[in-house]
Amino acid sequence: MSDNRKQPGAPAANPLWGGRFAEGPAAIMEEINASVAFDQRLAQQDIAGSKAHAAMLVAQGILTAEDGEAIAGGLDQIAAEITSGAFHFDPALEDVHMNIEARLRELIGEAAGRLHTARSRNDQVATDMRLWVRETIDAVDDELKALQTALLDQAEAAAATILPGFTHLQPAQPVTFGHHLMAYVEMLGRDRGRFADTRRRLNESPLGAAALAGTSFDIDRQATAEALGFDRPAANSMDAVSDRDFCLEFLAAASILAVHLSRLAEELVLWTSPAFDLVALPDSLTTGSSIMPQKRNPDAAELVRGKAGRVIGDLTGMLTMLKGLPMTYGKDMQEDKEPVFDAADTLMLIIPATTAMIAGMTVNAEAMRALTAQGFLTATDLADWLVRELDMPFRDAHHVTGAIVKLAETKGCDLGDLALEDLQQIEPRLTDEVYDALDIDRAVAGRTSEGGTAPKNVKASVKAARKRFL
C-alpha cells in the first residue's frame, strides 16, 4: 500500500484524491465523511461485484489474465478474512470499498489499482446496495412464509371456534377465530407481493455506469449483470447511480408490513388481557413486573407494536433525504444505508417474534364463546331473516330489529331469550322459526358466501392458502 504519511514540511494529502488536494481533511470532515462503520455490511456484496467486474475486464482484454487471477484470489482471501472476523476495517479509509481495495493492494500489489478501471464508487455502491436489498428481501420472505404457516395452523385448528367480530371495537357479528386469523394471512400475502415487486424492479445492474456518464472503455455490462444475477443492466447511466427507488420501495413495503404486525400485536395485547382472556402466550414470550408479582405482561407483542414506528421513521427519513437532490450523486445519499439496514434488522426481529407468539399461543375457546353472549351479535341475522321470510325491505327490517334489540336491552336478556309474544308486539308476523335466525351457531354456519366466516369456508380457505403461499 502506498505511503501516505506526512512528509517534513508538507501537509498530509488524502489517500483517495491526494493528487488534487494539498491538505488532508480536517478531523471533523473525516468523521462526518466516513461511512465504514455501517457500510462494512456491504463487504461481501462489494467483493462479489468486484469479482464480476474484474472477470469482465479480463474477458474484454482490458485487464490481463494474470492480473485478473491475482485480483480474484486476493478478493477471495479478503472475503474469508471478513467472514472469520480477522479483517480490520479502518475508518481512516472512509468506506468499505476503499478498505477492501487497500487490503487488496497489500495482498497483490499494483494489480489492485487496476480493478477500479471503468468503474466509480457511485456505480459500485449502487450495485452493492441492490445486491444487499435483494438478499434481504429473500430472507424477509422466508420469515413471512413461516409466520403465515403458524397462522394457518392456528386457523385450521380454530375453524369452528366462535367469537365476536368487532367494528369500532364494539361487538358486531359472530365469526370464527380461524376466519379472523386468516385475515392476517391475506395481509401478509400482500406484503410478500410488495417485496416481490420491489425485488423485480430493483434487479437491474448499475455496474458500468461509472460516475454518471458511462465509460469509454469497451466493457460488457450484460456480462456483469448476468454474473451478479441481475435481469439486465440499468438503461441510463445517470439514473443508475442516482436511483434509490428500490430503497424507498423496500422501506415502504417494510413500513406496511410493520403496521400489519403492529395491528396483530395490538390484538394479542387485548386478547391476553384478563378482561378478554381469549388467548394465552407462552411464559417465554412474556415478562413479569418488578413490583407486582401477579403481572404477566405481553412485552413481545408490545415491542412488535412499538417498533413499527421505528420502521416508519426509516422510510420518512429516506424520503426527506432524497426529496431535494438534483441529478446525479450527492454525498447525502450516503444516508441511504442506515435506514435500510435498521428497517431490515427490525423486521428480522419482529417477524420471528410474531411467529413465535402465534405458534405458541393457547386459545381459550370457552372464553371466546362466552363473549358472544354480549352485544346482540345475531341482530343482522334477524334483519336478514325478516327480508327473506317476510319480504320486508331491508331498511324496514333494520328498524324492526332495532326495536327488538331495544326491548332485549330493557329486559336485560339476549335476543333469543325474548318470548315470541314480546317479539310479536313489535312485528305480528313473527313465528317460532325466527329463533333459528337468532342461534349463534346457525348464524356462523350460514355465512357461506365467498370469503365468509362459515367453518367449512375457513377450512377451504386454509387449504387454498397453503397452495397459494406455501
Side-chain angles (χ1 to χ4, degrees), residues 32-45:
I32 195 173
N33 196 45
S35 60
V36 70
F38 50 86
D39 70 15
Q40 63 183 261
R41 294 179 65 157
L42 300 173
Q44 296 296 349
Q45 290 77 20

Side-chain angles (χ1 to χ4, degrees), residues 145-207:
K145 188 184 296 185
L147 176 52
Q148 284 183 305
T149 300
L151 285 164
L152 287 166
D153 290 345
Q154 290 281 16
E156 189 169 31
T161 301
I162 297 175
L163 79 164
F166 292 87
T167 63
H168 307 278
L169 206 55
Q170 301 296 315
Q173 291 181 283
V175 298
T176 66
F177 190 50
H179 190 61
H180 192 129
L181 295 177
M182 287 300 294
Y184 286 103
V185 173
E186 293 298 323
M187 293 161 73
L188 295 174
R190 293 192 296 275
D191 289 320
R192 290 178 66 189
R194 274 182 281 271
F195 282 114
D197 288 343
T198 299
R199 192 191 195 283
R200 175 177 55 81
R201 270 187 293 275
L202 74 77
N203 209 34
E204 296 183 347
S205 174
L207 200 56

Side-chain angles (χ1 to χ4, degrees), residues 245-409:
D245 287 0
F246 66 97
C247 294
L248 289 175
E249 287 194 54
F250 174 80
L251 291 173
S255 296
I256 296 171
L257 167 59
V259 168
H260 288 163
L261 297 178
S262 179
R263 294 180 69 181
L264 177 53
E266 169 65 8
E267 297 217 273
L268 288 169
V269 170
L270 291 173
W271 293 341
T272 56
S273 167
F276 287 91
D277 193 28
L278 302 183
V279 305
L281 295 176
D283 288 345
S284 58
L285 297 172
T286 60
T287 65
S289 165
S290 62
I291 189 172
M292 296 169 284
Q294 83 283 7
K295 293 296 293 300
R296 195 164 179 268
N297 301 323
D299 283 8
E302 292 170 351
L303 288 165
V304 169
R305 185 178 61 186
K307 286 181 182 295
R310 182 179 188 131
V311 178
I312 294 167
D314 291 328
L315 171 61
T316 303
M318 177 75 79
L319 286 165
T320 305
M321 181 272 289
L322 287 170
K323 73 175 183 63
L325 294 187
M327 284 289 188
T328 55
Y329 183 84
K331 203 57 181 268
D332 319 50
M333 294 170 74
Q334 184 167 288
E335 296 298 311
D336 64 347
K337 297 169 192 64
E338 288 181 286
V340 171
F341 295 159
D342 180 74
D345 289 346
T346 302
L347 291 186
M348 296 303 283
L349 275 176
I350 63 179
I351 304 172
T354 305
T355 302
M357 287 187 287
I358 294 299
M361 72 180 180
T362 303
V363 177
N364 187 345
E366 293 77 15
M368 290 183 178
R369 181 64 185 231
L371 202 57
T372 63
Q374 304 175 27
F376 310 109
L377 297 181
T378 55
T380 302
D381 298 275
L382 174 57
D384 290 344
W385 187 90
L386 292 171
V387 170
R388 282 194 307 269
E389 301 301 324
L390 302 183
D391 197 26
M392 188 179 292
F394 183 80
R395 286 302 172 197
D396 294 345
H398 187 283
H399 179 78
V400 169
T401 302
I404 293 173
V405 168
K406 184 175 182 181
L407 177 62
E409 283 181 326

Side-chain angles (χ1 to χ4, degrees), residues 23 60 73-74 110 133 163 166 214 224 229 283 298 343 373 387 392 438 457 464:
E23 295 186 8
Q60 294 298 105
E110 185 181 72
V133 172
L163 79 164
F166 292 87
T224 51
D283 288 345
V387 170
M392 188 179 292
L438 301 177
N457 284 35

